[in-house]
Amino acid sequence: MSDDKSSNFEIRCGVVIAVFAAVMAVSDLVAGKYGDDEIIGTNEKAAAYMWYQSKSVKETLVEGEKSLLESLKHAGALKPGTEKAIDSHLVTLQKRIVRYKKEKNEILRGSQTVGQDNWVQDINGEMGKIIGAQEMESHLATLSVAGDRFDMSSLFFQLCLVLGAMSLILKKESLQNVFFAGMCVLGMVGAGVSLWAYLGVA
């Protein structure tokens, strides 16, 4: 290969390598952000399930108290004259049980899913802001798939850059062209997979 041809090829190959390296850097940046979102989401999901469990414990305690009072009432073991107060307390307990069930449902499914009529749980005084544990699970599954796709795109980009480096090292024109073409193909595939991963979450 003549010096002019060699120089032109090196310039062209260098530019293409630089472009794919830049696209790879952007892809890795986005993948890193999604990876951080997945870690945060996992922690939030765990916190939501803990919150759900605490509501379940409270509901169970209230149900136990209600069941005990009803049993005592039916057995005639209550002090005479306390029936009215006990009945009033039983109504209060039933309301608390219904509320706990609604709170659990909102924590599990999310405010948007249960609808405004079923909003009972607030965050910092604001209603309708609960992101449900099941919603988080769905989002985390999407982020996990996107992460796998970004890993695949990173592999294609790395192979692409290796082929680009090989094409610069080789002296035989036919081999240079083969490796250069391989670099372009793998780079385009990597960019396509990266875009696929991004669109899957966006």
Side-chain angles (χ1 to χ4, degrees), residues 43-116:
N43 292 335
E44 288 178 348
K45 184 189 79 170
Y49 275 116
M50 287 176 65
W51 193 13
Y52 179 88
Q53 289 301 325
S54 74
K55 295 292 183 183
S56 294
V57 170
K58 290 178 181 179
E59 182 189 355
T60 301
L61 291 173
V62 174
E63 285 176 339
E65 183 182 352
K66 180 174 177 282
S67 178
L68 177 61
L69 286 174
E70 286 174 340
S71 297
L72 291 172
K73 180 183 174 183
H74 291 142
L78 297 175
K79 186 177 177 181
T82 61
E83 290 86 355
K84 192 172 181 180
I86 294 297
D87 287 342
S88 177
H89 188 57
L90 285 171
V91 170
T92 301
L93 291 176
Q94 182 59 35
K95 286 180 180 177
R96 287 174 63 187
I97 290 170
V98 170
R99 180 177 175 84
Y100 283 135
K101 287 185 185 301
K102 284 189 172 183
E103 287 177 346
K104 285 167 55 185
N105 189 42
E106 188 174 2
I107 291 167
L108 189 65
R109 298 173 60 206
S111 297
Q112 299 305 313
T113 303
V114 300
Q116 188 170 352

Side-chain angles (χ1 to χ4, degrees), residues 14-30 157 160-161 191 194:
V15 169
V16 174
I17 288 173
V19 168
F20 283 132
V23 175
M24 178 183 175
V26 173
S27 176
D28 287 346
L29 187 67
V30 176
F157 279 129
C160 151
L161 296 179
S194 182

Side-chain angles (χ1 to χ4, degrees), residues 99-202:
R99 180 177 175 84
Y100 283 135
K101 287 185 185 301
K102 284 189 172 183
E103 287 177 346
K104 285 167 55 185
N105 189 42
E106 188 174 2
I107 291 167
L108 189 65
R109 298 173 60 206
S111 297
Q112 299 305 313
T113 303
V114 300
Q116 188 170 352
D117 292 341
N118 295 306
W119 290 354
V120 289
Q121 186 67 55
D122 70 285
I123 293 182
N124 298 324
E126 288 189 74
M127 303 295 284
K129 299 293 183 182
I130 305 293
I131 298 173
Q134 291 178 344
E135 288 179 304
M136 290 180 196
E137 281 187 347
S138 177
H139 185 58
L140 286 171
T142 302
L143 287 174
S144 177
V145 171
D148 293 341
R149 291 174 184 172
F150 275 118
D151 289 343
M152 193 187 307
S153 75
S154 181
L155 174 63
F156 282 120
F157 279 129
Q158 289 173 19
L159 291 173
C160 151
L161 296 179
V162 168
L163 292 185
M166 290 295 294
S167 68
L168 287 173
I169 294 170
L170 296 169
K171 297 299 180 186
K172 193 172 180 182
E173 186 177 358
S174 59
L175 284 177
Q176 281 184 332
N177 290 331
V178 169
F179 277 90
F180 180 79
M183 174 187 69
C184 292
V185 170
L186 288 176
M188 292 301 293
V189 170
V193 173
S194 182
L195 183 61
W196 181 33
Y198 174 76
L199 293 175
V201 178

